[in-house]
Amino acid sequence: AQSVTQLDSQVPVFEEAPVELRCNYSSSVSVYLFWYVQYPNQGLQLLLKYLSGSTLVKGINGFEAEFNKSQTSFHLRKPSVHISDTAEYFCAVIRDSSYKLIFGSGTRLLVRP
Amino acid sequence: ETGVTQTPRHLVMGMTNKKSLKCEQHLGHNAMYWYKQSAKKPLELMFVYSLEERVENNSVPSRFSPECPNSSHLFLHLHTLQPEDSALYLCASSAHAGGAVNEQFFGPGTRLTVL
């Protein structure tokens, strides 16, 4: 079975500061990894995904993530955050041919002026 | 309308009521999903439909009854719910069911409160 751990339930950060949101996963088979963002009163929007190839993945809104197989991690980073980045961020995994996206419990990013 | 829409956005119901949630996708997709998002818990997959056929039922209680009359519409019929069923119910769709390459597009959700 797969599982996803997001250790930080909330990350406060000042505007224009860098941020890293942590995601670790466990799986006995190969999985594919995703980061989603949920703004208040909205559904989830895909930020980026890792399927294969380069372990550094670039997504929308200036976010990037690095897949580290040995550490089973897929941390999300942004070098300089904006107030508008305040949202809930979810890491997720899926096995190929599976229907089930397995989500972490989410990390609330709070950007302060 | 574009993307995935859900109605109503908010719903309050008593435990003896019967209500339905509606989801519509305008993306030409063949697969649709229902998720439950409870406070402090990860999103949980409830049901998956592929070409109007249910292909996944993730041990959901029978008081939740899905219906997919065509590939663009998905309903979740609710009856005799419990207060712990209060949550945000999210609908999603993808070009085809399952797999990493089939990105799921989410609707804004229905916030359900059971009194």
Side-chain angles (χ1 to χ4, degrees):
Chain A
Q2 296 80 46
S3 67
V4 179
T5 302
Q6 293 181 247
L7 287 170
D8 305 305
S9 60
Q10 183 165 299
V11 173
V13 64
F14 287 108
E15 193 175 17
E16 297 183 8
V19 70
E20 178 180 85
L21 305 184
R22 296 180 294 168
C23 173
N24 288 88
Y25 69 93
S26 67
S27 177
S28 57
V29 298
S30 293
V31 293
Y32 304 93
L33 299 127
F34 302 79
W35 275 99
Y36 283 85
V37 60
Q38 186 177 32
Y39 298 103
N41 300 314
Q42 294 188 32
L44 277 69
Q45 179 184 3
L46 183 66
L47 270 180
L48 49 80
K49 60 185 176 184
Y50 174 76
L51 301 183
S52 64
S54 171
T55 57
L56 183 62
V57 181
K58 294 190 183 298
I60 62 171
N61 301 342
F63 283 94
E64 63 181 32
E66 185 151 21
F67 170 58
N68 188 320
K69 190 173 182 179
S70 62
Q71 296 187 5
T72 60
S73 68
F74 190 53
H75 301 331
L76 181 70
R77 302 186 184 99
K78 186 169 182 177
S80 174
V81 294
H82 302 127
I83 297 286
S84 59
D85 292 323
T86 294
E88 187 102 23
Y89 291 80
F90 294 93
C91 183
V93 303
I94 192 170
R95 286 187 296 119
D96 202 17
S97 75
S98 171
Y99 301 119
K100 190 181 286 190
L101 261 175
I102 308 294
F103 284 89
S105 53
T107 297
R108 182 169 299 277
L109 176 62
L110 181 58
V111 182
R112 296 166 173 163
Chain B
E1 292 278 16
T2 59
V4 181
T5 58
Q6 291 186 242
T7 54
R9 294 294 308 277
H10 300 271
L11 178 63
V12 179
M13 59 187 289
M15 289 191 286
T16 58
N17 292 158
K18 289 184 181 180
K19 297 286 184 183
S20 296
L21 310 184
K22 178 183 176 182
C23 174
E24 184 173 0
Q25 58 94 2
H26 309 267
L27 301 167
H29 288 166
N30 291 318
M32 298 187 78
Y33 309 75
W34 278 117
Y35 286 86
K36 177 183 179 183
Q37 186 179 21
S38 305
K40 311 282 188 202
K41 290 177 68 175
L43 276 82
E44 302 169 68
L45 179 66
M46 299 175 73
F47 301 104
V48 181
Y49 276 82
S50 176
L51 295 170
E52 300 116 59
E53 180 182 339
R54 192 189 312 176
V55 296
E56 179 93 7
N57 177 345
N58 199 28
S59 303
V60 180
S62 59
R63 58 185 182 270
F64 295 91
S65 175
E67 179 191 2
C68 188
N70 55 63
S71 58
S72 298
H73 293 87
L74 184 65
F75 295 89
L76 188 63
H77 304 299
L78 316 170
H79 64 96
T80 327
L81 293 193
Q82 305 298 311
E84 59 264 29
D85 296 322
S86 298
L88 182 68
Y89 289 85
L90 291 165
C91 174
S93 71
S94 64
H96 302 285
V101 296
N102 289 303
E103 178 185 342
Q104 294 182 28
F105 292 80
F106 286 80
T110 294
R111 174 71 61 188
L112 174 67
T113 303
V114 182
L115 302 176

